[in-house]
């Protein structure tokens, strides 16, 4: 009988440790947290003081270039207080910045939207290693993750990059992107005509 009582007491201790606080995950542009949608309603659902949260977030991201998307994790306690964790920008943002492009490839396997060197990849991995979810992973694992992300963005990883050749590549790429935008616009207009 005493074994079952001891087991029940240990189960009660485990049950008391369950965390019922609300968690929120979102991307917020650095220094641009505002009470309007989409952030305002998300905070309102969790009973967080929206003005105080926006002020707190904007103060914490004041040293970061404005507009950079920052993955943010907010843990809301039952007394309406919150714990704010701001991560490094997403890997796709860093990869696009290193490649000098604003948009990834529409068909990642078939087309190349940009190129980066192994040195770029290593530097991005060093920055991403500071993120709480990745701080216990090795640089090799983070680099493997970044290679997969680069592949989905259509970014090719090369050993060396000639600036002149890459400049010409980016000029050709701009023309391709313009053609793709025109094609998408035509598809949208054709769809609007069908539904009207």
């Amino acid at each position: 009988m005493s074994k079952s009582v001891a087991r029940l007491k240990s189960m009660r201790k485990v049950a008391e440790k369950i965390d019922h606080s609300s968690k929120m995950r979102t991307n917020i542009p650095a220094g641009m947290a505002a009470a309007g949608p989409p952030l305002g309603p998300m905070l309102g659902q969790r009973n967080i003081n929206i003005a105080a949260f926006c002020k707190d977030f904007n103060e914490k991201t004041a040293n970061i270039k404005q507009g950079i998307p920052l993955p943010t994790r907010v843990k809301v306690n039952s007394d309406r207080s919150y714990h704010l964790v701001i991560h490094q920008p997403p890997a796709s943002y860093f990869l696009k910045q290193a490649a000098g492009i604003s948009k990834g490839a529409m068909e990642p396997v078939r087309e190349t939207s940009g190129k980066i060197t192994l040195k770029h990849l290593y530097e991005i991995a060093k920055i991403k290693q500071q993120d709480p979810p990745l701080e216990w992973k090795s640089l090799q694992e983070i680099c493997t993750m970044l290679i997969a992300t680069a592949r989905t963005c259509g970014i090719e990883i090369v050993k060396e990059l000639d600036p002149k050749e890459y400049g010409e590549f980016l000029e050709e790429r701009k023309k391709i992107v313009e053609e793709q935008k025109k094609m998408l616009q035509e598809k949208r207009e054709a769809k609007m005509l069908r539904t009207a």
Side-chain angles (χ1 to χ4, degrees):
M1 191 71 163
S2 64
K3 285 184 180 180
S4 61
V5 171
R7 193 175 295 141
L8 280 172
K9 285 184 178 178
S10 68
M11 287 174 64
R12 183 181 294 156
K13 287 179 185 176
V14 171
E16 289 172 1
K17 292 179 184 176
I18 293 174
D19 184 20
H20 291 287
S21 62
S22 176
K23 294 182 178 109
M24 182 178 87
R25 300 172 66 162
T26 185
N27 286 0
I28 306 171
M32 295 175 68
L39 184 61
M42 291 169 72
L43 296 171
Q45 289 174 353
R46 290 165 176 81
N47 294 326
I48 297 175
N49 183 340
I50 299 169
F53 177 88
C54 291
K55 183 180 176 190
D56 187 28
F57 179 84
N58 290 337
E59 284 176 4
K60 286 187 177 185
T61 60
N63 60 341
I64 301 171
K65 183 181 173 186
Q66 199 170 27
I68 295 175
L70 298 173
T72 307
R73 309 293 178 257
V74 182
K75 182 180 172 188
V76 184
N77 301 322
S78 57
D79 63 343
R80 293 181 60 174
S81 64
Y82 59 87
H83 178 68
L84 178 66
V85 179
I86 302 169
H87 295 227
Q88 296 294 326
S92 60
Y93 172 81
F94 282 125
L95 291 167
K96 287 180 201 171
Q97 289 294 310
I101 58 174
S102 59
K103 185 179 175 195
M106 283 181 67
E107 298 175 13
V109 178
R110 295 188 186 129
E111 64 177 299
T112 303
S113 62
K115 297 178 184 179
I116 61 169
T117 62
L118 291 171
K119 185 177 180 184
H120 289 122
L121 190 76
Y122 177 74
E123 293 296 325
I124 294 169
K126 290 287 281 183
I127 293 169
K128 287 302 288 178
Q129 194 175 31
Q130 297 169 4
D131 269 355
L134 300 175
E135 55 189 16
W136 303 111
K137 289 194 174 196
S138 68
L139 273 174
Q140 184 178 359
E141 289 175 314
I142 296 171
C143 284
T144 305
M145 179 194 77
L146 288 172
I147 290 169
T149 306
R151 190 174 295 134
T152 60
C153 291
I155 297 172
E156 186 181 336
I157 299 164
V158 294
K159 288 188 179 179
E160 290 183 19
L161 201 58
D162 182 41
K164 280 187 177 180
E165 286 180 25
Y166 191 59
E168 292 169 6
F169 169 80
L170 286 178
E171 288 300 318
E172 290 174 22
R173 180 74 188 145
K174 279 183 185 176
K175 293 174 188 170
I176 294 169
V177 169
E178 287 300 318
E179 289 174 16
Q180 288 176 342
K181 283 182 181 177
K182 284 179 186 175
M183 201 169 66
L184 283 173
Q185 186 63 32
E186 289 171 4
K187 283 183 180 179
R188 277 193 206 115
E189 288 171 1
K191 187 176 181 183
M192 301 251 318
L193 287 172
R194 281 192 306 245
T195 57

